[in-house]
Amino acid sequence: MSTEAAARIGRFTLDNGLRIVTAPAATGQVAAVNLWYGVGSRFETPGRTGFAHLFEHLMFQGSGNVDKGEHFDAIERLGGEINASTSTDRTNYFETVPAHGLDLALWLEADRLHTLREGVTQEVLDNQRDVVKNERRQRYDNVPYGTALELILKLGYPEGHPYHHPTIGSMADLDAADLEYVLSFHERHYGPDNLVLTVVSDLEDADIRERVERYFGRIPRREELAVAPDASLEGPIGGPRREVVTEECPAPAVYLGYRVGEYGSREFDIMHLAGVVLGQGQGSRLYRKLVVERGIAVDDGGAAAFPLPFRYTPSLLMFSMFAREGVSGEELTEAILAEVEQLAESGVTAEEMERARALLERDHLQGLSSPSMLADALGSCEQLFDDPALAYTWPDRWASITAEEIADVAGRLLTAENRLELRFEPLTPAE
């Protein structure tokens, strides 16, 4: 299946460096348009955090030929869907429209790439800065456990490292954002030579290429290329590195993390599989032992393990659970650690390997099941690995991993020296 699907991928590069990826849609009459810009929070420096995400907002606030809000309105009037997201390694814009709306979607995207700086004013910046600051309050500062990701990154990566901070940025840095720097950020990062544009539809490749050339071909390359701060990192975390947060929250929560290989490496795949054995699904060790047998963790449906995948620096393999009433965070921490250490010492069984592979493959296939999700997967693999066909190969990679490899890598990486520990404890009435 993977070979047949990969053979249907089209790849082109315009003279200005814009890369185009195409693939047929399983559902006809729609076109999924997906843009991956090679800019994320890893390009930000101390004192300038939050800019990549801020730009995700600014990109919808009007450009040289499109007024504020019109991009959303135009797509939604077609019955289409539109959104965007930002991570450490990229900023992603995507929309799905009826096939007859493809030209409009491409024109809108080309216009804001080419002329956005004509539409960004101090008023627009101030408005969107407030929106982002409010988002930070709602998602990070004013909700239980909201600062977990920010603290995990601080524990996992040294101060000054480009992955030390979350994409949302700090309030102080957002306050310090000035119009001149914001405009220069767009100039250095938003160019056709830093963009992968993926279209999944039932249109011919030549047709798509001609349309993209028509709208994007006149946009020049960037004059100044952005340089990412050095993200190289060797060795373990230097732990266990611990932090305990006492705040208003319903129950103790435990987060344990281990530094593993960068996203795309075999070491990452091996630890991803190990994480599924331990903490994904109701058949996982953590669910069976701590939720069902001992009853000390809240029933999370089997979501205790998750990777934080980073392409350009070591990733993190995370384990997280919430304590049941009457159970302390310390007790839950020790219980999770015991299961992690047991895997590192004894490895995994063939049955566990089979279950983990099945879960990953199911999620993988679901992730390719719609035109929008397929476009996102292809665009990500082109931008991060220069190989869109990689999107179809993950099941083969997981199938090739052996139990011996898991035991070897787990024994080397799932250690105290390579561990971060974050715990949230509820305030007591006296506090």
Side-chain angles (χ1 to χ4, degrees):
M1 177 267 183
S2 61
T3 304
E4 294 175 5
R8 296 195 292 269
I9 296 173
R11 297 175 77 192
F12 315 96
T13 302
L14 301 187
D15 290 342
N16 60 12
L18 191 154
R19 288 175 282 169
I20 307 165
V21 178
T22 65
T27 303
Q29 306 300 312
V30 300
V33 177
N34 195 296
L35 296 90
W36 271 62
Y37 287 95
V39 54
S41 59
R42 76 186 180 99
F43 280 90
E44 298 164 353
T45 54
R48 296 287 194 181
T49 63
F51 280 80
H53 174 247
L54 177 61
F55 248 98
E56 178 195 317
H57 287 254
L58 293 174
M59 288 281 277
F60 290 101
Q61 297 306 305
S63 53
N65 300 294
V66 179
D67 288 338
K68 178 181 178 180
E70 281 193 352
H71 194 134
F72 263 111
D73 289 345
I75 297 300
E76 290 176 348
R77 279 200 300 274
L78 288 171
E81 297 176 338
I82 180 171
N83 215 326
S85 67
T86 310
S87 80
T88 52
D89 297 336
R90 56 95 177 113
T91 307
N92 178 214
Y93 303 87
F94 49 94
E95 48 237 285
T96 301
V97 295
H100 65 81
L102 176 60
D103 282 277
L104 177 59
L106 292 175
W107 180 84
L108 287 166
E109 292 291 356
D111 187 69
R112 66 179 175 180
L113 168 60
H114 196 194
T115 70
L116 183 89
R117 295 194 291 279
E118 298 174 23
V120 177
T121 63
Q122 186 65 48
E123 181 183 3
V124 167
L125 171 60
D126 292 342
N127 176 269
Q128 289 309 299
R129 182 195 349 243
D130 289 342
V131 171
V132 172
K133 287 171 64 178
N134 199 42
E135 182 179 335
R136 182 183 165 97
R137 293 186 189 97
Q138 292 179 340
R139 292 174 50 200
Y140 285 73
D141 298 331
N142 297 335
V143 294
Y145 321 112
T147 56
L149 175 61
E150 189 167 36
L151 296 171
I152 286 167
L153 295 176
K154 284 183 177 178
L155 291 170
Y157 301 94
E159 189 166 358
H161 189 271
Y163 291 74
H164 180 74
H165 67 277
T167 58
I168 194 71
S170 75
M171 286 293 196
D173 291 353
L174 291 168
D175 281 334
D178 61 86
L179 187 59
E180 181 180 359
Y181 185 81
V182 165
L183 295 178
S184 72
F185 190 90
H186 183 268
E187 194 171 9
R188 283 181 284 115
H189 294 285
Y190 280 81
D193 51 319
N194 198 28
L195 169 61
V196 171
L197 194 163
T198 302
V199 178
V200 172
S201 70
D202 58 0
L203 300 171
E204 296 294 328
D205 285 354
D207 185 352
I208 296 170
R209 180 174 184 172
E210 186 278 325
R211 296 182 199 220
V212 175
E213 178 83 51
R214 189 191 319 160
Y215 299 115
F216 287 84
R218 64 193 172 93
I219 304 174
R221 291 172 179 263
R222 293 170 294 168
E223 294 183 3
E224 178 188 357
L225 303 187
V227 177
D230 183 9
S232 60
L233 208 54
E234 297 291 337
I237 287 175
R241 296 197 63 200
R242 299 188 177 94
E243 181 156 349
V244 178
V245 178
T246 302
E247 65 175 25
E248 288 188 11
C249 59
V254 175
Y255 297 82
L256 303 178
Y258 299 84
R259 202 181 280 169
V260 299
E262 70 274 11
Y263 178 51
S265 69
R266 187 165 182 84
E267 184 179 277
F268 177 91
D269 291 343
I270 292 169
M271 283 291 89
H272 193 184
L273 203 58
V276 175
V277 169
L278 273 169
Q280 187 173 328
Q282 295 184 349
S284 66
R285 291 190 187 186
L286 289 172
Y287 188 91
R288 286 187 290 109
K289 295 290 182 61
L290 307 192
V291 176
V292 178
E293 294 180 18
R294 296 181 58 184
I296 63 173
V298 171
D299 186 350
D300 58 3
F306 57 95
L308 293 178
F310 301 133
R311 174 70 182 93
Y312 303 100
T313 203
S315 303
L316 291 174
L317 176 62
M318 298 299 306
F319 301 99
S320 173
M321 302 190 90
F322 297 85
R324 281 203 178 148
E325 186 173 356
V327 177
S328 72
E330 190 171 351
E331 179 183 358
L332 181 58
T333 299
E334 292 303 319
I336 299 172
L337 277 176
E339 294 302 324
V340 173
E341 289 168 358
Q342 176 65 30
L343 183 141
E345 292 172 2
S346 306
V348 300
T349 67
E351 183 180 356
E352 289 176 319
M353 292 279 285
E354 184 177 357
R355 186 193 70 87
R357 289 189 186 114
L359 286 179
L360 286 174
E361 184 167 357
R362 179 203 63 191
D363 291 345
H364 170 75
L365 293 175
Q366 286 179 342
L368 302 178
S369 60
S370 75
S372 178
M373 290 189 285
L374 176 58
D376 189 61
L378 295 174
S380 72
C381 288
E382 173 67 28
Q383 182 64 264
L384 299 177
F385 304 105
D386 198 28
D387 182 9
L390 194 63
Y392 294 112
T393 66
W394 299 112
D396 295 335
R397 293 160 62 107
W398 296 319
S400 70
I401 293 170
T402 66
E404 290 73 22
E405 284 181 293
I406 289 184
D408 176 62
V409 179
R412 179 164 49 83
L413 296 181
L414 301 183
T415 64
E417 187 184 18
N418 193 35
R419 185 170 71 236
L420 66 86
E421 299 178 18
L422 172 63
R423 202 168 77 227
F424 286 85
E425 294 286 354
L427 283 169
T428 62
E431 294 174 305

